[in-house]
Amino acid sequence: MLKKGWPILVASMLVASPAWAAAKPAGKAHERETMVKKVEVVVKKKTEQKETEAKKKQESSKQQKWLAQKLAQLHKKVGQIEERLDKVTARIQALSEAESATDTQTTPADSLPTGEPSASQPTEVTAATDAPSGQAIAANDAAAPASSGQTVTEAPSPNSPQPVGEDQEELDEEKQEQIDGLIGQLIALSNQLRAVTNDIRALEKKVGANNANIQKVKEKVKALNDQVQANKKALLQLL
């Protein structure tokens, strides 16, 4: 009986011992604190990750809105330039058509063949040769009215240069003024297109050169530049 009760007594004494009771709970508390710290670290990392992703999304949204506003401004500028350029192109085409119509309707007199004897000249010479001497003298007297006090007015030669009238000079001055004004408008439009090109380059530095919307604006600006160059060539032909 004593042998069986002794281990139970020793165990009860150890459990009741203050040192044993203090050592056991201390180890469990340390484990709990370590586990809590690990959980806190994981939660903190996940929270920071979520906050970082939220900031990136917010910045991306702001950038997209900013890019959309910039593209809208560029499209508006390009549209205004295109409208002005179309008006200039129409005026240049009108001037070119008017110039072509004037050249077609004008038939200069010096284009006719000259130096050919008229049909009446050989007849008169033959008649004067075959006629008697008295008639020839009479014919010569009739052909020389200066001896009787009459004056002969010579017909103007078709090859003689015609003087330019005041009306023609005014038309030429008006045409030159129109051409000068159109050249000035083309220069202004070219400068506006250059400014748009600079804005596009600034956008490409921020969002990249592979943006499809930016590429569309670049292609439109290039087409307008080609149209400006074609108009300049047309004006040079009118000068």
Side-chain angles (χ1 to χ4, degrees):
M1 187 70 181
L2 183 61
K3 290 181 179 180
K4 291 182 180 180
W6 181 252
I8 297 173
L9 179 61
V10 172
S12 62
M13 290 176 63
L14 289 173
V15 171
S17 172
W20 176 268
K24 246 348 190 178
K28 291 182 178 180
H30 179 71
E31 290 179 0
R32 285 195 299 269
E33 290 178 0
T34 303
M35 185 64 67
V36 170
K37 288 180 179 180
K38 288 180 179 180
V39 173
E40 288 177 352
V41 169
V42 172
V43 172
K44 184 177 181 181
K45 286 183 178 180
K46 289 184 177 180
T47 303
E48 291 177 352
Q49 186 176 0
K50 290 181 179 179
E51 291 177 353
T52 303
E53 291 177 355
K55 287 181 180 179
K56 288 182 178 180
K57 290 181 180 179
Q58 187 176 4
E59 290 176 358
S60 178
S61 178
K62 287 182 179 179
Q63 187 177 24
Q64 291 297 328
K65 290 181 180 179
W66 175 81
L67 179 60
Q69 291 177 354
K70 289 295 183 181
L71 288 172
Q73 293 174 0
L74 288 177
H75 280 295
K76 184 178 180 180
K77 290 180 181 179
V78 172
Q80 292 174 349
I81 294 172
E82 183 180 11
E83 184 178 356
R84 298 190 194 104
L85 185 56
D86 288 342
K87 291 180 180 179
V88 173
T89 302
R91 291 181 60 186
I92 293 174
Q93 289 178 351
L95 281 177
S96 300
E97 292 174 358
E99 186 76 12
S100 300
T102 302
D103 294 341
T104 304
Q105 293 175 1
T106 303
T107 54
D110 54 5
S111 62
L112 298 175
T114 58
E116 296 181 358
S118 62
S120 61
Q121 288 179 352
T123 305
E124 293 175 356
V125 173
T126 304
T129 305
D130 297 338
S133 60
Q135 294 178 359
I137 294 172
N140 291 333
D141 293 340
S147 59
S148 61
Q150 297 178 359
T151 59
V152 179
T153 58
E154 297 181 356
S157 173
N159 292 328
S160 61
Q162 299 294 329
V164 180
E166 293 181 358
D167 294 341
Q168 185 62 36
E169 291 180 356
E170 291 179 357
L171 290 175
D172 292 340
E173 290 179 359
E174 182 180 357
K175 174 184 173 183
Q176 187 63 44
E177 289 178 358
Q178 291 180 356
I179 292 175
D180 293 341
L182 292 172
I183 291 175
Q185 292 182 25
L186 288 177
I187 293 173
L189 291 171
S190 180
N191 292 334
Q192 293 174 8
L193 288 172
R194 190 178 295 109
V196 172
T197 301
N198 293 333
D199 292 339
I200 292 173
R201 290 174 181 172
L203 281 180
E204 287 179 337
K205 289 181 179 179
K206 291 185 178 181
V207 300
N210 296 325
N211 188 282
N213 294 324
I214 295 178
Q215 292 300 321
K216 290 180 180 179
V217 180
K218 288 178 68 176
E219 292 175 359
K220 187 64 177 180
V221 171
K222 184 180 181 302
L224 293 177
N225 275 318
D226 293 341
Q227 187 175 350
V228 169
Q229 296 302 321
N231 285 330
K232 287 182 179 179
K233 291 180 181 179
L235 286 177
L236 290 176
Q237 293 177 357
L238 291 175
L239 292 175

